[in-house]
């Protein structure tokens, strides 16, 4: 098409064709059935459709067509030097220059932009995924070249630049040949950001392609280095960050990409974790700063302590490269690093649910990324009446209606139905739904119509904090409480308790909550009838730990194996996080150098953590069951006897 337009402009024998001739030529080349307005290039027509919000694209159509017709002669089509019409408020298309191979801009473009060279050490933003591949490039900040009060960003070859369209309050990408038009107040562009948000966000971009505006699937990377001033001081822009990658730390294990876990709040703010679930970025509340730590210290972190391998020297956002401090040769020094804030276009998830008794719930739900409730995006039915949302206090998904929206936003847990576990609502599982004055089980089917499920559940996580939260009761004590509720409210269910307890193994606190809700029992009142208080339970556990430690030390002194009775035993079934901690403990004792590879190893053995633990034990001559028992005793003793730092 560009070659054809250049031939039009050249006129074959050197004569420029008039608007009418060019139109007829385009119709002939395009085939029958395609209309073309005299003097109106298809690219300009598409860009005029993308005028400022609220502006009628056709309100000034004849005037704009005339302007383009007058200036759209041979010189403009051929990419030669031209002077844009400086009509205030007109939204012109980008200069249709004859672009050559990337890396060398045409002469006209080299003259159109500011004269100084692009500084390739400046903060930059890189795009991938535009249909017009010329826009897929890395753009460097030019703080001295300001448009509408904000710095511009230029490609390394100077052919394209990003600027702020002050009149409509949005970012746009334009070619260098239109720089004079931009400075004159016009709004040309090949792509623009329709949601007015930070240019690093991949979602919300529109690009001109084949005579219309379309939404591209982009990946955007915003880079800055430690010698740059802070780039992330805007609180609104900070909320858009979902993943950050680091390069340059002396401790190479920290040079990873960290992903947001909205539901994993540490010391008052959401944390960011690497893909292996070993290293994480968290907010140190007492120090008022961000830091990077590992899984081994997670419990101490959740208890309010502030360990870490690196930390910020101020309270600024952790995406800023400047201000980080790391340990080097036993001393804390300024870190020389680069940060990359990575964003990807997210297609909203669209699902269809079926199986509920209430027919209104059996419908389609579409994700609204900007409509977050209790830390996660919500999904809404076509009528906007019912929505799926995350109940943070209950750690589960539920369906509610518009009437209770404010209650849901305030942190309460209203709903017509809810999942019986903490897994993503798209996964196969049973639900509980309203049935008369109570609740009943129902089997719900979820079909994904569009998008991809992005579950933020960690790869390997520790449940220590969850087990320690709330009332410190054992599983058997929770079962006793459940039994009491049934004895008071529904004795006929006592014969089914064994099956119920088996179904809720390791989830006894959740069972107790559900039973109390179903029968209207006061959890605190029921728990007050327990024969032992939480303090007494803790004292008993401490006493048992001390006795085990004393027996083990006595046996070691006598040359006996205190775990000889486990010689023929197998390691019990444990959670993935527990096996990961065992593997880490083996490496710490026998081969500390392997700890730097732990994240990669866990990623490789995802879902097979038990097999990994058995292989590691075999390699270092460790009995799996005995080592697990010894490690458990040591942990119990440390938990109950260690003094706070």
């Amino acid at each position: 098409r560009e070659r054809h337009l250049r031939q039009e402009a050249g006129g074959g024998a050197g004569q420029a064709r008039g608007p009418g001739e060019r139109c007829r030529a385009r119709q002939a080349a395009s085939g029958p059935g395609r209309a073309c307005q005299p003097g109106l290039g298809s690219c300009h027509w598409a860009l005029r459709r993308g005028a400022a919000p609220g502006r009628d694209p056709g309100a000034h159509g004849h005037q704009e067509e005339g302007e383009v017709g007058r200036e759209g002669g041979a010189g403009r089509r051929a990419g030669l030097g031209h002077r844009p019409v400086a009509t205030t408020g007109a939204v012109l298309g980008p200069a249709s220059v004859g672009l050559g191979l990337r890396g060398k801009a045409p002469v006209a473009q080299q003259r159109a932009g500011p004269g100084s060279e692009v500084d390739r050490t400046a903060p930059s933003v890189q795009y991938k995924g535009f249909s017009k591949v010329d826009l897929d490039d890395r753009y460097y900040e030019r703080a001295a070249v300001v448009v509408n009060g904000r710095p511009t960003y230029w490609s390394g070859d100077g052919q394209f630049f990003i600027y702020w369209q002050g009149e409509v309050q949005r970012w746009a990408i334009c070619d260098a040949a239109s720089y004079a038009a931009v400075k004159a107040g016009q709004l040309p562009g090949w792509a623009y950001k329709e949601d007015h948000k930070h240019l690093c966000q991949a979602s919300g971009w529109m690009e001109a392609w084949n005579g219309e505006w379309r939404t591209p699937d982009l990946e955007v990377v915003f880079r800055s280095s430690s010698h740059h001033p802070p780039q992330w001081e805007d609180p609104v822009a900070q909320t858009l960050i979902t993943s950050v990658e680091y390069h340059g730390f002396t401790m190479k294990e920290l040079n990873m990409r960290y992903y947001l876990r909205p539901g994993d709040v540490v010391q008052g703010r959401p944390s960011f974790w690497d893909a292996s679930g070993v290293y994480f970025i968290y907010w140190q509340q007492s120090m008022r700063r961000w830091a990077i730590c590992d899984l081994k210290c997670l419990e101490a972190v959740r208890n309010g302590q502030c360990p870490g391998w690196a930390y910020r020297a101020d309270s600024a956002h952790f995406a800023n490269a400047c201000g980080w401090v790391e340990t080097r040769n036993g001393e804390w020094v300024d870190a020389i690093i680069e940060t990359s804030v990575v964003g990807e276009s997210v297609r909203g998830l669209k699902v269809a649910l079926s199986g509920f008794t209430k027919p209104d719930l059996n419908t389609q739900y579409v994700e609204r990324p900007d409509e977050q409730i209790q830390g996660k995006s919500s999904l809404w039915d076509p009528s906007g009446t019912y929505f799926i949302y995350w109940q943070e206090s209950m750690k589960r998904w539920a369906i509610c209606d518009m009437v209770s929206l404010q209650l849901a936003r305030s942190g309460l847990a209203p709903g017509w139905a809810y999942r019986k576990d903490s897994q993503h609502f798209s996964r196969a599982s049973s639900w509980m739904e309203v049935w008369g004055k109570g609740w009943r089980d129902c089997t719900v089917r979820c079909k994904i119509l569009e998008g991809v499920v992005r579950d933020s559940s960690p790869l390997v996580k520790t449940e220590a904090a969850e087990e320690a939260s709330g009332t410190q009761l054992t599983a058997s004590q929770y079962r006793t409480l459940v039994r009491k509720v049934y004895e008071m409210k529904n004795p006929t269910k006592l014969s089914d308790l064994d099956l119920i307890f088996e179904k809720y193994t390791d989830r006894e606190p959740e069972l107790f909550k559900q039973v109390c809700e179903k029968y209207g029992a006061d959890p605190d009142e029921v728990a007050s009838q327990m024969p032992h208080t939480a303090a007494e339970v803790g004292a008993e556990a401490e006493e048992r730990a001390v006795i085990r430690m004393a027996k083990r030390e006595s046996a070691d002194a006598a040359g006996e194996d205190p775990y000889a009775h486990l010689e023929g035993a197998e390691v019990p079934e444990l959670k993935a996080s527990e096996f990961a901690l065992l593997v880490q403990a083996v490496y710490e004792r026998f081969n500390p150098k392997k700890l730097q590879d732990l994240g990669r190893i866990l990623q490789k053995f995802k879902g097979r953590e038990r097999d990994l633990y058995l292989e590691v034990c075999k390699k270092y001559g460790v009995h799996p069951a005995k080592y697990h028992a010894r490690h458990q005793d040591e942990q119990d003793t440390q938990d109950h006897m260690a003094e706070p730092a």
Side-chain angles (χ1 to χ4, degrees), residues 343-365:
E344 295 180 351
S345 299
V346 179
R347 294 283 186 180
L349 187 64
K350 184 178 181 180
V351 301
L353 299 184
S354 60
F356 290 111
T357 304
K358 186 177 176 64
D360 294 339
L361 305 185
N362 298 319
T363 183
Q364 295 181 4
Y365 297 85

Side-chain angles (χ1 to χ4, degrees), residues 1-10 26 77-78 96:
R1 181 179 298 175
E2 291 179 354
R3 184 168 60 253
H4 178 67
L5 292 177
R6 287 196 294 272
Q7 291 173 354
E8 292 177 13
R26 282 196 296 273
R77 287 299 180 188
S96 300

Side-chain angles (χ1 to χ4, degrees), residues 272-339:
F272 286 67
W273 293 70
D274 73 341
S276 68
V278 175
Y279 293 93
F280 61 96
I281 304 172
Y282 75 102
W283 173 253
Q284 295 181 341
Q285 179 63 31
S286 62
M287 307 299 293
R288 308 297 299 172
R289 67 189 185 192
W290 292 93
I292 304 179
C293 195
D294 61 24
L295 184 64
K296 182 180 178 182
C297 300
L298 179 59
E299 185 174 356
V301 169
R302 293 195 185 279
N303 289 332
Q305 300 180 30
C306 299
W309 294 105
Y311 66 88
R312 288 199 57 83
D314 53 31
S315 59
H317 196 272
F318 59 84
N320 291 305
C322 60
W324 276 96
V325 178
E326 66 174 343
T327 178
R328 193 183 307 153
N329 298 325
E331 297 182 358
W332 290 101
V333 297
D334 292 337
I336 303 175
I337 63 172
E338 177 187 85
T339 61

Side-chain angles (χ1 to χ4, degrees), residues 455-523:
D455 193 359
S456 60
S457 301
L459 173 67
V460 178
K461 66 178 183 178
T462 298
E463 277 78 12
E466 297 176 6
E467 295 169 357
S469 62
T471 306
Q472 298 182 2
L473 300 178
T474 64
S476 62
Q477 288 174 318
Y478 274 115
R479 294 187 179 190
T480 301
L481 293 175
V482 171
R483 184 181 297 275
K484 283 184 174 294
V485 175
Y486 280 124
E487 288 174 352
M488 294 185 298
K489 303 294 185 178
N490 190 0
T492 60
K493 295 287 289 185
L494 291 173
S495 59
D496 300 330
L497 278 182
D498 290 340
L499 294 176
I500 296 175
F501 289 149
E502 182 179 354
K503 182 178 180 180
Y504 281 86
T505 301
D506 295 330
R507 295 191 293 130
E508 287 79 6
E510 179 184 348
L511 172 62
F512 178 54
K513 288 181 181 179
Q514 292 186 12
V515 170
C516 289
E517 289 179 357
K518 181 175 182 179
Y519 294 104
D522 187 343

Side-chain angles (χ1 to χ4, degrees), residues 528-565:
S528 66
Q529 301 177 25
M530 287 296 298
H532 298 289
T533 64
E536 291 171 338
V537 172
E540 292 174 0
E542 179 178 349
E543 182 178 0
R544 290 194 299 270
V546 172
I547 293 175
R548 285 196 300 269
M549 177 61 72
K551 288 182 177 179
R552 184 165 63 84
E553 292 178 351
S554 177
D556 290 343
E560 301 175 1
D561 182 6
Y563 304 101
H565 61 287

Side-chain angles (χ1 to χ4, degrees), residues 11 27 41-42 68 91 122 153 188 200 209 312 348 400 409 411 416 423 430 441 485 513 518 583 628:
Q27 285 181 304
S42 61
V68 177
V91 184
Y153 294 78
C200 75
W209 187 249
R312 288 199 57 83
C400 193
R409 285 176 172 171
W416 289 97
Q423 299 298 316
S430 59
D441 287 306
V485 175
K513 288 181 181 179
K518 181 175 182 179
V583 172
H628 166 255

Side-chain angles (χ1 to χ4, degrees), residues 2 29 82 95 121 150 153 161 196 283 373 418 423 470 522 586 610 627 644:
E2 291 179 354
H82 67 279
T121 65
R150 299 199 184 186
Y153 294 78
F161 68 100
H196 319 296
W283 173 253
I373 301 176
Y418 64 87
Q423 299 298 316
D522 187 343
V586 174
R610 178 187 177 89
Y627 192 85

